[in-house]
Amino acid sequence: MKTGLPPFTEAGLLPPGIHWATWGEIRDRFGHTPHRMNLLFGLMDGLGSLKQAGCKLIYIDGSFCTAKEVPGDFDVCWDDTPVDLEKLFSLAPLLFDFEQGRAAQKARYLGEFFPCSFIAAPPATLYLDFFQLDKNSGGAKGIIGLQL
């Protein structure tokens, strides 16, 4: 799997597609301010539990993956097919808390986590596809793929 993150588009987004990266590439590209480093620490916290429960792949989206100087958060969808859900629930029950706009997830991790198999938009748009749509233009945009 080839890794590497391309330059941002003129709109400050990653070009369309899944851009595979290493943790070091993500840290170097997106952790250049104290605020962004805090987001990375929250992301790392959630990913640790996912990895312990057997997750192998995650996809990162949100304003964190843009050129925004002060992104609001990150969004992750995780491949839930190989995951021991009972173990994950015991390790990180907040990853299953979708109440109140996922406020508990945001408070703990500074971002949100969704299983890839969940429907993000009716009638059947899964999170992996939903993440690749620009909410402003409706056009295609890029996301980051990370192998855990």
Side-chain angles (χ1 to χ4, degrees), residues 66-143:
T66 69
K68 264 184 137 170
E69 194 63 29
V70 183
D73 67 355
F74 60 81
D75 299 304
V76 168
C77 67
W78 46 278
D79 181 5
D80 50 331
T81 54
V83 174
D84 179 339
L85 295 177
E86 287 182 25
K87 183 174 185 176
L88 182 59
F89 187 79
S90 72
L91 292 168
L94 293 181
L95 295 184
F96 296 88
D97 186 342
F98 298 102
E99 298 297 316
Q100 299 176 8
R102 295 159 306 280
Q105 283 190 29
K106 288 179 185 180
R108 165 72 189 265
Y109 302 108
L110 306 179
E112 301 169 78
F113 294 82
F114 306 92
C116 283
S117 65
F118 276 30
I119 294 174
T125 303
L126 299 177
Y127 272 99
L128 184 57
D129 299 319
F130 182 74
F131 277 11
Q132 295 180 74
L133 296 174
D134 179 12
K135 68 181 176 184
N136 296 317
S137 71
K141 69 177 179 78
I143 61 173

Side-chain angles (χ1 to χ4, degrees), residues 11-33:
L13 305 172
L14 290 170
I18 298 172
H19 304 285
W20 294 97
T22 65
W23 181 257
E25 289 169 327
I26 294 167
R27 180 196 61 231
D28 292 348
R29 176 76 175 273
F30 297 103
H32 56 272
T33 67

